[in-house]
Every structure is written in structure tokens, then in C-alpha cells.
Amino acid sequence: MKRADLAEAFNFDGSLLELSVKDLSVGTLCTVLADFPLPWTFLLGGQPAPLPGPPLLEALIAEAEQTLEVNIDPDGLRLVLMVNFGLPPLTAILHPNDVPDEAAFERLTLAVAALAGSTRQVWLQAEGFHTPWAVFTPSQGWRLPASPETE
């Protein structure tokens, strides 16, 4: 799938896009980030900090007193993983304007593939909506959903 197939999703209408990563635990997130193919920065309360190990990250999430973010490719894609909710799925926020062309879509796909690993689904949807624009699976890559009921 190409960016042009999802052009409507990247037309900015005032809302952001969400990536929902199904079945990604805190421990797995730490493992994924250790080998992530794009640069990233961990932010604790808005300030760069070293990524804590899974037990400390779990404790920080449980407290939910600070905003925890992983800013992926901060000089380019600006994909922000919000890890402070503590409930699956992990949600990433993406500004549609950050994917203006096919090269940016390829970087997004690279990031999504890393988050998906070998088994997880990633949904691309409008902020606050439950019907995805597209679904990424490791076996099929991006695809349009058949229907909301089958996802």
C-alpha cells in the first residue's frame, strides 16, 4: 500500500491520527525500542530522560503523575507514543502533516513494522474514532479493513 491509497487519512482536518498497537506490553516496548530503526527520545514530564527498564517504567505508568512519551524520529516523523495510560492498546499520536509524501509514509511504515514485531496489529485511525483507516499486520503490511466488525 502507498500513501496515495490513504491520502484522505493524511488530509489535515484539525484532528490528529492515532496508531493503536495491539498487545504491546511495557516490557516488549522496552525491547522494541532497544532495536528501533529510527532515532527516538524518551520524555519524562516533557524532559528527555533515559528509558527506564520495564519494572520502573511499569511503576511510572501506574503512578500516572507524569506524562511519559517516546518521541520517535523527533526531527522528522514526530510519532509520539503515549505510554502513561497503562491500558492496552498503546497509543501513538501522529500529525497528518508529518506524512506529506511517500518517503515520510515509508518512515511511518518502518516505525509501525518495528512496533508490530512479528505478531501485533497496528491500527491507523482518526483521533477518537474506532474505525481504522488502515491496519498493519506483519504478514500483510498495510491493508484497508474489510469492515469494522472483522478487525
Side-chain angles (χ1 to χ4, degrees), residues 25-47:
S25 69
V26 171
T28 304
L29 175 62
C30 290
T31 301
V32 166
L33 290 174
D35 296 322
F36 210 75
L38 296 170
W40 57 270
T41 303
F42 179 72
L43 302 172
L44 177 59
Q47 299 300 315

Side-chain angles (χ1 to χ4, degrees), residues 1 20-24 28 32 109-123 134-143 151:
M1 177 177 290
S20 298
V21 184
K22 309 297 181 181
D23 304 318
L24 182 64
T28 304
V32 166
T109 300
L110 185 64
V112 167
L115 291 170
S118 61
T119 60
R120 291 177 292 280
Q121 280 190 359
V122 181
W123 287 19
V135 177
F136 183 93
T137 58
S139 62
Q140 297 179 319
W142 288 110
R143 61 184 171 81
E151 292 303 322

Side-chain angles (χ1 to χ4, degrees), residues 35-135:
D35 296 322
F36 210 75
L38 296 170
W40 57 270
T41 303
F42 179 72
L43 302 172
L44 177 59
Q47 299 300 315
L51 181 68
L56 181 54
L57 190 55
E58 287 271 8
L60 289 169
I61 290 169
E63 288 176 16
E65 293 180 10
Q66 307 228 24
T67 301
L68 309 178
E69 300 176 7
V70 178
N71 219 354
I72 306 243
D73 196 11
D75 295 324
L77 186 60
R78 292 186 303 163
L79 178 64
V80 179
L81 302 179
M82 304 301 293
V83 295
N84 59 321
F85 301 116
L87 299 172
L90 178 93
T91 300
I93 304 299
L94 172 68
H95 196 292
N97 290 344
D98 285 346
V99 189
D101 54 28
E102 199 61 44
F105 185 72
E106 287 175 14
R107 292 174 70 78
L108 174 63
T109 300
L110 185 64
V112 167
L115 291 170
S118 61
T119 60
R120 291 177 292 280
Q121 280 190 359
V122 181
W123 287 19
L124 173 68
Q125 62 216 31
E127 184 179 30
F129 285 79
H130 300 290
T131 303
W133 287 104
V135 177

